Amino acid sequence: MSTAARKKSLIWDYLTTVDHKKIAILYLIAGGLFFLIGGLEALLMRIQLMKPNNDFLNGDLFNQVMTMHGTTMIFFAATPLLFALMNAVVPLQIGARDVAFPFLNALGFWLFFFGGVFLNCSWFLGGAPDAGWTSYASLSLESPGHGIDFYLLGLQISGFGTLISGINFLVTIVTMRAPGMTFMRMPMFTWTTFVASALILFAFPPLTVGLLLLMLDRLFGANFFDPALGGNTIIYEHLFWIFGHPEVYILVLPAFGIFSEVIATFSRKRLFGYSSMVFAVVLIGFLGFMVWAHHMFTVGLGPVANAIFAVATMTIAVPTGIKIFNWLFTMWGGNIRFTTPMLYAVSFIPSFVMGGVTGVMLASAPADYQYHDTYFVVAHFHYVIVGGVVFALLAGTHYWWPKMFGKMLNEALGKITFVLFFVGFHLTFFIQHFLGLMGMPRRVFTFLPNQGLDTGNLVSTIGAFFMTAGVIILLINVVISSISGKKAEADAWGVGRTLEWAVSSPAPEYNFAQIPLVRGLDAYWLEKMEGKKGLTPAEPLGDIHMPNPSVLPFVISLGLFVSAFGFLYHNDYSWGLPVAILGLVITFGSMFLRSIIDDYGFHIHKDEIIEAEKKGVKA
Amino acid sequence: MAQHANSENPNVNLAYRRKKNAEEMKRQVISFVLMILLTLIAFFAVGYDKFSHWFSIPFILLLAIVQVMFQLYYFMHMSHKGHEFPAIFMYGGVFVAFLTVWAFATIVWW
Ligand code: HEM
Ligand SMILES: [Cu+2]
């Protein structure tokens, strides 16, 4: 089939795409949208807390906004935005033409997307969930209305998507590496994606079980978590945190990977202590599974359990420290260029260290009785999540933007965004440590005057406006870049080290005309240092086999979306059950179609590739 | 077409492949017989009322573990080369599941 015959409308193209580069863009847009919604919710909360006894967002509405902020940011902003960068970069970094399962890749995206839309439908259908992003059973079982049910079903759907995407990346990295790309030559971002995907594989099933049991309790009359009927509410907390702690590492490990790439690139040096970095990432992933009860010190697990989990938690600081020093040594003596991504990377180090230090403070169980459920905890996790993950997402977006869209973002605007965001971040969250120590509890919608909390809260709110301004400038930057941005070279920053910088920006549909032969760490840098223009090919030029686009991933996810409404209302309306069944029929019917229809894909012919390469190199 | 990349030409090394398959078949049959045997022993252990529960329950759990190993390594070919990653991830999963049950047993239910 020729390229011309495959031309379709843009929307249909993205609805059916199985190309990892387009799925990356879908993730970026959808994740970005949810990031804006979550950010708006944060701003509303900070306005409410700007002054004592405020009545801008009262009681239950505040709880809903607070819950939706946390849930949206973790599950529908941070995770998918990381998936955006992983999809855009990882196949290129390992010298592959696509991911291992392009169809599943699309399915993962659509499941995430419909899960997020479903959750947000709650705003218009009687109120959002209001039991916090943790949704502890003791609270959520009592919550009236359907908010919590939206949370349960929405997260269940998007959780399948995340699990599918995680498995897809694991298989991709294990099986699709180019010849010569041994594990110890993999770029750090690929390594961290690999470990984070393994964490997804092991951490999401406990969440699925926890949410399922809670759903059975709420919608189908079971009593797993109701102590009055012989259940045990603590089990939900365990299940949630067995997932929850690995989840924070699922977020922060890829962030570490992004910074490793950015710091090495803009210091013009090989990453210091590469093998110890790999070791540290694997160790953090491993330890991440043995510390969950540090979120439950005050539950009353007993001194022995608390002590074990406290010590286990503190050990994570060791591999994390290894990474911090390796980044510092990478910069030491390097030829540093302070581009926008590099500014985020440099400021990430002290910001994240502060979050780590408060983490170790929280990990001392006796002290945690004082800190727990105060703003001190809020400060801690925002320092690690914003100072770590969000900084990384901003750095990564600026860094790989030219590779994804073929145009540079404006550096001046990028730096303005950075300054506003950095200042706003510290203004908002630094003072919260002290608010917490002075006794301001977490998740409250107001406070009384003259208890020493007034100024701190005002400062914090002002900081939130700085961050908002930063994000708005970023959006303006995106618009300007798409209208009049400078066209990006293949090696957009001129100092690229890894394989993605060897192909044109944006990469052609087939990624590599010839799969490259990898001869060491920083494969592209190696070739450049030997005076070569391109990569050493590992195969002759030939026809390239590609998968066909398909609308089935969209339809499968739509089916689950429909059926979730049915299950949600099956106790209230008689149409509930039929709709639930209809949705499942759509889902399983399209899975059946996928199984019985043979789809051999198509080929891009050699002369088409030669022509495209000529154009790409010229541009 | 791509899916043929790792399948070998069936006409090469025919004699060698025959012999290998025969060996493979022998192992499958042996482990199949063993598994039936293990199942019978398990039934017997439960049915025989001279054994106390404190013996028979751990005993059949042990038999179950042996069976799973047989299944994985002989029936599902994990003993062959190229299964290192599935092995790592399966043992990883077993580890996480074990940790969960262990923690529940010691700090929730005890
Ligand atoms: C040295 C590393 C770390 C240590 C020792 C640590 C320790 C802790 C402890 C003990 C708590 C519970 C506090 C309480 O509720 O009283 C906590 C909460 C939290 N941590 Fe960390 N942490 C570390 C790193 C991280 C990282 C890297 C992230 C995320 C990227 C993170 C995200 C969170 C979140 C989200 C919570 C609050 C969860 C909630 O209650 O809603 N932490 N941390
Ligand atoms: Cu934790």
Side-chain angles (χ1 to χ4, degrees), chain A residues 74 133-134 136 241 245 248-249 251-252 256 294-295 297 313-314 316-317 320 352 355-364 368 371-373 377 380-381 384-385 389 442-443:
Chain A
I74 299 263
W133 82 286
T134 50
Y136 277 8
W241 287 117
H245 189 83
V248 303
Y249 283 103
L251 297 180
V252 89
F256 287 172
H294 65 216
H295 297 274
F297 284 148
T313 303
M314 290 178 197
I316 295 198
T320 313
F352 188 82
V357 169
T358 52
V360 176
M361 289 169 73
L362 291 165
S364 8
D368 186 54
Y371 308 134
H372 182 65
D373 260 343
V377 175
H380 157 69
F381 67 73
V384 279
I385 291 182
V389 184
R442 195 181 158 185
R443 296 174 171 167

Short mmCIF file of all heavy atoms in Angstrom, two decimals, chain A residues 74 133-134 136 241 245 248-249 251-252 256 294-295 297 313-314 316-317 320 352 355-364 368 371-373 377 380-381 384-385 389 442-443, ligand 1:
data_model
loop_
_atom_site.label_atom_id
_atom_site.label_comp_id
_atom_site.label_asym_id
_atom_site.label_seq_id
_atom_site.Cartn_x
_atom_site.Cartn_y
_atom_site.Cartn_z
N ILE A 74 -2.01 12.01 40.38
CA ILE A 74 -1.22 10.77 40.40
C ILE A 74 -1.57 9.88 39.21
O ILE A 74 -0.69 9.44 38.47
CB ILE A 74 -1.46 9.99 41.70
CG1 ILE A 74 -1.03 10.82 42.89
CG2 ILE A 74 -0.76 8.63 41.65
CD1 ILE A 74 0.34 10.53 43.41
N TRP A 133 -7.42 10.63 47.99
CA TRP A 133 -6.97 9.77 46.88
C TRP A 133 -6.72 8.35 47.39
O TRP A 133 -6.71 7.41 46.61
CB TRP A 133 -5.71 10.33 46.20
CG TRP A 133 -4.41 10.04 46.88
CD1 TRP A 133 -3.94 10.62 48.00
CD2 TRP A 133 -3.41 9.10 46.46
NE1 TRP A 133 -2.71 10.11 48.32
CE2 TRP A 133 -2.36 9.17 47.39
CE3 TRP A 133 -3.29 8.21 45.38
CZ2 TRP A 133 -1.22 8.39 47.30
CZ3 TRP A 133 -2.15 7.44 45.30
CH2 TRP A 133 -1.12 7.52 46.25
N THR A 134 -6.56 8.21 48.74
CA THR A 134 -6.35 6.88 49.30
C THR A 134 -7.67 6.14 49.49
O THR A 134 -7.69 4.93 49.53
CB THR A 134 -5.66 7.01 50.66
OG1 THR A 134 -6.39 7.97 51.43
CG2 THR A 134 -4.25 7.50 50.52
N TYR A 136 -9.67 5.43 51.97
CA TYR A 136 -9.70 4.41 53.02
C TYR A 136 -11.13 3.91 53.23
O TYR A 136 -12.08 4.70 53.28
CB TYR A 136 -9.19 5.00 54.34
CG TYR A 136 -7.69 5.01 54.49
CD1 TYR A 136 -6.85 4.67 53.44
CD2 TYR A 136 -7.10 5.36 55.71
CE1 TYR A 136 -5.48 4.68 53.59
CE2 TYR A 136 -5.72 5.38 55.86
CZ TYR A 136 -4.91 5.04 54.80
OH TYR A 136 -3.55 5.05 54.95
N TRP A 241 -1.62 0.56 50.21
CA TRP A 241 -0.23 1.01 50.29
C TRP A 241 0.76 0.02 49.72
O TRP A 241 1.87 0.42 49.33
CB TRP A 241 0.13 1.40 51.72
CG TRP A 241 -0.53 2.70 52.11
CD1 TRP A 241 -1.45 2.89 53.09
CD2 TRP A 241 -0.32 3.98 51.48
NE1 TRP A 241 -1.84 4.20 53.11
CE2 TRP A 241 -1.17 4.90 52.15
CE3 TRP A 241 0.47 4.43 50.42
CZ2 TRP A 241 -1.23 6.23 51.79
CZ3 TRP A 241 0.40 5.77 50.07
CH2 TRP A 241 -0.44 6.65 50.75
N HIS A 245 2.98 2.68 47.83
CA HIS A 245 4.37 3.08 47.89
C HIS A 245 5.13 2.76 46.61
O HIS A 245 5.82 3.63 46.08
CB HIS A 245 5.11 2.58 49.13
CG HIS A 245 6.45 3.23 49.18
ND1 HIS A 245 6.64 4.49 49.71
CD2 HIS A 245 7.61 2.88 48.63
CE1 HIS A 245 7.88 4.85 49.50
NE2 HIS A 245 8.49 3.89 48.85
N VAL A 248 4.71 5.50 44.04
CA VAL A 248 5.50 6.73 44.05
C VAL A 248 6.85 6.49 43.38
O VAL A 248 7.41 7.38 42.75
CB VAL A 248 5.67 7.33 45.46
CG1 VAL A 248 4.31 7.60 46.09
CG2 VAL A 248 6.54 6.50 46.36
N TYR A 249 7.36 5.25 43.46
CA TYR A 249 8.61 4.96 42.75
C TYR A 249 8.38 4.73 41.27
O TYR A 249 9.26 5.00 40.45
CB TYR A 249 9.35 3.80 43.41
CG TYR A 249 10.02 4.31 44.66
CD1 TYR A 249 9.50 4.06 45.90
CD2 TYR A 249 11.12 5.14 44.55
CE1 TYR A 249 10.07 4.60 47.03
CE2 TYR A 249 11.69 5.69 45.67
CZ TYR A 249 11.17 5.42 46.91
OH TYR A 249 11.73 5.98 48.01
N LEU A 251 6.55 6.57 39.66
CA LEU A 251 6.61 7.93 39.16
C LEU A 251 8.03 8.48 39.19
O LEU A 251 8.48 9.12 38.25
CB LEU A 251 5.71 8.85 40.00
CG LEU A 251 4.23 8.55 39.97
CD1 LEU A 251 3.48 9.53 40.85
CD2 LEU A 251 3.71 8.61 38.56
N VAL A 252 8.74 8.24 40.28
CA VAL A 252 9.98 8.99 40.42
C VAL A 252 11.16 8.31 39.70
O VAL A 252 12.10 8.99 39.30
CB VAL A 252 10.31 9.25 41.91
CG1 VAL A 252 11.12 8.15 42.52
CG2 VAL A 252 11.01 10.59 42.06
N PHE A 256 13.98 10.14 37.53
CA PHE A 256 15.43 10.00 37.67
C PHE A 256 16.08 9.76 36.31
O PHE A 256 17.14 10.31 35.99
CB PHE A 256 15.77 8.81 38.58
CG PHE A 256 15.50 9.04 40.05
CD1 PHE A 256 15.61 7.99 40.95
CD2 PHE A 256 15.15 10.29 40.53
CE1 PHE A 256 15.37 8.18 42.30
CE2 PHE A 256 14.91 10.49 41.88
CZ PHE A 256 15.02 9.43 42.76
N HIS A 294 5.03 2.17 56.26
CA HIS A 294 5.39 3.46 56.84
C HIS A 294 4.27 4.49 56.66
O HIS A 294 4.31 5.54 57.27
CB HIS A 294 6.74 3.99 56.31
CG HIS A 294 6.77 4.33 54.86
ND1 HIS A 294 7.88 4.11 54.09
CD2 HIS A 294 5.87 4.87 54.03
CE1 HIS A 294 7.65 4.50 52.86
NE2 HIS A 294 6.44 4.97 52.80
N HIS A 295 3.28 4.17 55.83
CA HIS A 295 2.12 5.05 55.74
C HIS A 295 1.10 4.75 56.83
O HIS A 295 0.09 5.42 56.93
CB HIS A 295 1.46 4.91 54.37
CG HIS A 295 2.35 5.33 53.25
ND1 HIS A 295 2.45 6.63 52.83
CD2 HIS A 295 3.23 4.64 52.49
CE1 HIS A 295 3.34 6.71 51.85
NE2 HIS A 295 3.83 5.52 51.63
N PHE A 297 2.02 3.90 60.28
CA PHE A 297 2.63 3.83 61.60
C PHE A 297 1.62 4.09 62.71
O PHE A 297 1.69 3.50 63.78
CB PHE A 297 3.75 4.87 61.73
CG PHE A 297 5.03 4.48 61.02
CD1 PHE A 297 5.85 5.45 60.46
CD2 PHE A 297 5.42 3.15 60.92
CE1 PHE A 297 7.03 5.12 59.82
CE2 PHE A 297 6.60 2.80 60.27
CZ PHE A 297 7.40 3.79 59.72
N THR A 313 12.48 1.50 55.47
CA THR A 313 12.27 2.75 54.75
C THR A 313 13.55 3.56 54.68
O THR A 313 13.90 4.11 53.63
CB THR A 313 11.17 3.56 55.44
OG1 THR A 313 9.99 2.78 55.51
CG2 THR A 313 10.87 4.83 54.67
N MET A 314 14.25 3.63 55.80
CA MET A 314 15.45 4.47 55.81
C MET A 314 16.52 3.94 54.87
O MET A 314 17.31 4.71 54.33
CB MET A 314 16.00 4.58 57.22
CG MET A 314 15.08 5.40 58.12
SD MET A 314 15.73 5.46 59.78
CE MET A 314 14.30 5.98 60.68
N ILE A 316 16.21 3.00 51.96
CA ILE A 316 16.04 3.49 50.59
C ILE A 316 16.84 4.76 50.37
O ILE A 316 17.24 5.08 49.25
CB ILE A 316 14.54 3.73 50.28
CG1 ILE A 316 13.80 2.40 50.31
CG2 ILE A 316 14.37 4.38 48.93
CD1 ILE A 316 12.47 2.43 49.64
N ALA A 317 17.11 5.48 51.45
CA ALA A 317 17.90 6.70 51.29
C ALA A 317 19.30 6.40 50.75
O ALA A 317 19.92 7.26 50.14
CB ALA A 317 17.98 7.44 52.62
N THR A 320 19.31 6.07 46.92
CA THR A 320 18.94 7.40 46.43
C THR A 320 20.14 8.34 46.55
O THR A 320 20.41 9.13 45.63
CB THR A 320 17.74 7.95 47.22
OG1 THR A 320 16.75 6.93 47.32
CG2 THR A 320 17.15 9.16 46.54
N PHE A 352 14.79 17.85 45.52
CA PHE A 352 14.47 16.46 45.83
C PHE A 352 15.17 16.00 47.11
O PHE A 352 14.59 15.24 47.89
CB PHE A 352 14.86 15.54 44.66
CG PHE A 352 14.38 14.14 44.86
CD1 PHE A 352 13.08 13.79 44.55
CD2 PHE A 352 15.21 13.17 45.37
CE1 PHE A 352 12.61 12.51 44.77
CE2 PHE A 352 14.74 11.88 45.60
CZ PHE A 352 13.45 11.56 45.30
N GLY A 355 13.04 16.81 49.97
CA GLY A 355 11.95 15.84 50.12
C GLY A 355 12.43 14.54 50.71
O GLY A 355 11.74 13.91 51.52
N GLY A 356 13.64 14.12 50.31
CA GLY A 356 14.19 12.88 50.86
C GLY A 356 14.47 13.00 52.33
O GLY A 356 14.22 12.08 53.12
N VAL A 357 14.99 14.16 52.73
CA VAL A 357 15.32 14.35 54.15
C VAL A 357 14.05 14.32 55.00
O VAL A 357 13.99 13.63 56.02
CB VAL A 357 16.07 15.68 54.35
CG1 VAL A 357 16.17 16.02 55.83
CG2 VAL A 357 17.46 15.57 53.74
N THR A 358 13.00 15.02 54.55
CA THR A 358 11.75 14.95 55.33
C THR A 358 11.20 13.53 55.30
O THR A 358 10.57 13.09 56.27
CB THR A 358 10.69 15.93 54.81
OG1 THR A 358 10.54 15.74 53.41
CG2 THR A 358 11.07 17.36 55.09
N GLY A 359 11.46 12.80 54.21
CA GLY A 359 11.03 11.40 54.15
C GLY A 359 11.66 10.58 55.26
O GLY A 359 10.98 9.83 55.95
N VAL A 360 12.97 10.75 55.43
CA VAL A 360 13.64 9.99 56.48
C VAL A 360 13.14 10.43 57.86
O VAL A 360 13.00 9.61 58.77
CB VAL A 360 15.18 10.15 56.36
CG1 VAL A 360 15.87 9.44 57.49
CG2 VAL A 360 15.65 9.58 55.03
N MET A 361 12.84 11.73 58.00
CA MET A 361 12.26 12.18 59.27
C MET A 361 10.94 11.46 59.53
O MET A 361 10.68 10.98 60.64
CB MET A 361 12.02 13.69 59.24
CG MET A 361 13.29 14.52 59.29
SD MET A 361 12.95 16.26 58.95
CE MET A 361 12.16 16.74 60.47
N LEU A 362 10.10 11.40 58.48
CA LEU A 362 8.80 10.73 58.64
C LEU A 362 8.95 9.25 58.90
O LEU A 362 8.10 8.62 59.53
CB LEU A 362 7.96 10.93 57.37
CG LEU A 362 7.46 12.33 57.10
CD1 LEU A 362 6.97 12.44 55.66
CD2 LEU A 362 6.34 12.67 58.05
N ALA A 363 10.06 8.70 58.42
CA ALA A 363 10.25 7.27 58.56
C ALA A 363 10.59 6.85 59.98
O ALA A 363 10.51 5.67 60.30
CB ALA A 363 11.35 6.80 57.62
N SER A 364 10.99 7.80 60.84
CA SER A 364 11.21 7.41 62.24
C SER A 364 9.84 7.33 62.90
O SER A 364 9.22 8.34 63.22
CB SER A 364 12.11 8.37 62.99
OG SER A 364 12.37 9.49 62.20
N ASP A 368 6.88 10.14 63.67
CA ASP A 368 5.77 10.24 62.72
C ASP A 368 4.43 10.42 63.44
O ASP A 368 3.49 10.97 62.86
CB ASP A 368 5.72 9.00 61.83
CG ASP A 368 4.68 9.14 60.72
OD1 ASP A 368 4.73 10.14 60.00
OD2 ASP A 368 3.80 8.27 60.61
N TYR A 371 4.09 13.97 63.12
CA TYR A 371 3.95 14.56 61.78
C TYR A 371 2.71 14.06 61.05
O TYR A 371 2.18 14.76 60.19
CB TYR A 371 5.14 14.20 60.90
CG TYR A 371 6.50 14.48 61.47
CD1 TYR A 371 7.51 13.53 61.39
CD2 TYR A 371 6.79 15.71 62.05
CE1 TYR A 371 8.77 13.79 61.89
CE2 TYR A 371 8.05 15.97 62.56
CZ TYR A 371 9.04 15.00 62.47
OH TYR A 371 10.28 15.25 62.97
N HIS A 372 2.31 12.83 61.35
CA HIS A 372 1.32 12.17 60.51
C HIS A 372 0.03 12.99 60.38
O HIS A 372 -0.46 13.56 61.34
CB HIS A 372 0.99 10.80 61.09
CG HIS A 372 0.01 10.04 60.24
ND1 HIS A 372 0.32 9.62 58.97
CD2 HIS A 372 -1.25 9.64 60.47
CE1 HIS A 372 -0.72 8.99 58.46
NE2 HIS A 372 -1.70 8.99 59.34
N ASP A 373 -0.48 13.00 59.15
CA ASP A 373 -1.71 13.73 58.85
C ASP A 373 -1.65 15.22 59.17
O ASP A 373 -2.65 15.83 59.53
CB ASP A 373 -2.92 13.09 59.57
CG ASP A 373 -3.69 12.20 58.59
OD1 ASP A 373 -3.49 12.36 57.38
OD2 ASP A 373 -4.50 11.38 59.05
N VAL A 377 3.47 16.31 56.14
CA VAL A 377 3.42 15.23 55.15
C VAL A 377 3.10 15.80 53.77
O VAL A 377 3.68 15.40 52.76
CB VAL A 377 2.40 14.16 55.57
CG1 VAL A 377 2.26 13.10 54.49
CG2 VAL A 377 2.79 13.53 56.88
N HIS A 380 6.22 17.16 52.49
CA HIS A 380 7.14 16.09 52.06
C HIS A 380 6.78 15.58 50.67
O HIS A 380 7.60 15.55 49.77
CB HIS A 380 7.11 14.92 53.05
CG HIS A 380 7.55 13.61 52.44
ND1 HIS A 380 8.85 13.38 52.06
CD2 HIS A 380 6.86 12.48 52.11
CE1 HIS A 380 8.93 12.16 51.53
NE2 HIS A 380 7.74 11.60 51.55
N PHE A 381 5.53 15.15 50.49
CA PHE A 381 5.30 14.47 49.21
C PHE A 381 5.22 15.44 48.06
O PHE A 381 5.50 15.06 46.93
CB PHE A 381 4.13 13.47 49.29
CG PHE A 381 2.76 14.00 49.50
CD1 PHE A 381 2.08 14.65 48.49
CD2 PHE A 381 2.11 13.78 50.70
CE1 PHE A 381 0.80 15.10 48.68
CE2 PHE A 381 0.81 14.22 50.89
CZ PHE A 381 0.16 14.88 49.88
N VAL A 384 8.89 15.74 46.91
CA VAL A 384 9.38 14.66 46.06
C VAL A 384 8.60 14.58 44.75
O VAL A 384 9.18 14.29 43.70
CB VAL A 384 9.37 13.30 46.79
CG1 VAL A 384 10.59 13.16 47.67
CG2 VAL A 384 8.12 13.09 47.59
N ILE A 385 7.30 14.82 44.80
CA ILE A 385 6.52 14.62 43.57
C ILE A 385 6.63 15.83 42.65
O ILE A 385 6.85 15.68 41.45
CB ILE A 385 5.05 14.30 43.89
CG1 ILE A 385 4.98 12.90 44.51
CG2 ILE A 385 4.21 14.33 42.62
CD1 ILE A 385 3.60 12.43 44.83
N VAL A 389 9.09 14.60 40.22
CA VAL A 389 8.39 14.12 39.03
C VAL A 389 7.97 15.27 38.11
O VAL A 389 8.21 15.22 36.90
CB VAL A 389 7.16 13.29 39.45
CG1 VAL A 389 6.48 12.71 38.22
CG2 VAL A 389 7.57 12.18 40.40
N ARG A 442 -3.85 17.96 57.89
CA ARG A 442 -4.01 17.77 56.46
C ARG A 442 -5.50 17.63 56.13
O ARG A 442 -6.28 17.23 56.98
CB ARG A 442 -3.29 16.46 56.19
CG ARG A 442 -2.97 16.17 54.83
CD ARG A 442 -2.27 14.82 54.79
NE ARG A 442 -2.45 14.34 53.45
CZ ARG A 442 -2.08 13.16 53.02
NH1 ARG A 442 -1.50 12.32 53.86
NH2 ARG A 442 -2.27 12.81 51.79
N ARG A 443 -5.87 17.93 54.91
CA ARG A 443 -7.22 17.70 54.41
C ARG A 443 -8.31 18.41 55.23
O ARG A 443 -9.36 17.84 55.48
CB ARG A 443 -7.53 16.20 54.35
CG ARG A 443 -6.65 15.45 53.38
CD ARG A 443 -6.87 13.95 53.46
NE ARG A 443 -6.16 13.28 52.37
CZ ARG A 443 -5.96 11.96 52.32
NH1 ARG A 443 -6.42 11.20 53.27
NH2 ARG A 443 -5.32 11.42 51.33
C1 HEM C 1 14.08 8.68 51.05
C2 HEM C 1 12.95 8.52 50.50
C3 HEM C 1 11.56 8.58 51.18
C4 HEM C 1 11.20 8.32 52.45
C5 HEM C 1 12.09 7.86 53.57
C6 HEM C 1 9.78 8.56 52.55
C7 HEM C 1 9.00 8.39 53.68
C8 HEM C 1 7.66 8.66 53.79
C9 HEM C 1 6.83 8.43 54.93
C10 HEM C 1 7.32 7.82 56.22
C11 HEM C 1 5.56 8.83 54.66
C12 HEM C 1 4.33 8.74 55.56
C13 HEM C 1 4.13 9.99 56.31
C14 HEM C 1 2.84 10.00 57.06
O1 HEM C 1 1.76 9.80 56.46
O2 HEM C 1 2.90 10.25 58.28
C15 HEM C 1 5.58 9.32 53.33
C16 HEM C 1 4.47 9.83 52.69
C17 HEM C 1 4.43 10.05 51.34
N1 HEM C 1 5.49 9.98 50.46
FE1 HEM C 1 7.41 9.57 50.95
N2 HEM C 1 9.32 8.97 51.35
C18 HEM C 1 10.38 8.99 50.49
C19 HEM C 1 10.35 9.30 49.17
C20 HEM C 1 9.20 9.57 48.47
C21 HEM C 1 9.14 9.73 47.05
C22 HEM C 1 10.31 9.61 46.11
C23 HEM C 1 7.85 9.98 46.76
C24 HEM C 1 7.19 10.25 45.42
C25 HEM C 1 7.75 10.47 44.30
C26 HEM C 1 7.09 9.99 47.98
C27 HEM C 1 5.74 10.22 48.05
C28 HEM C 1 5.01 10.21 49.21
C29 HEM C 1 3.59 10.45 49.28
C30 HEM C 1 2.66 10.72 48.09
C31 HEM C 1 3.22 10.37 50.61
C32 HEM C 1 1.86 10.65 51.21
C33 HEM C 1 0.82 9.67 50.93
C34 HEM C 1 -0.48 10.06 51.58
O3 HEM C 1 -0.60 9.89 52.79
O4 HEM C 1 -1.37 10.53 50.85
N3 HEM C 1 7.95 9.74 49.01
N4 HEM C 1 6.87 9.23 52.80
#
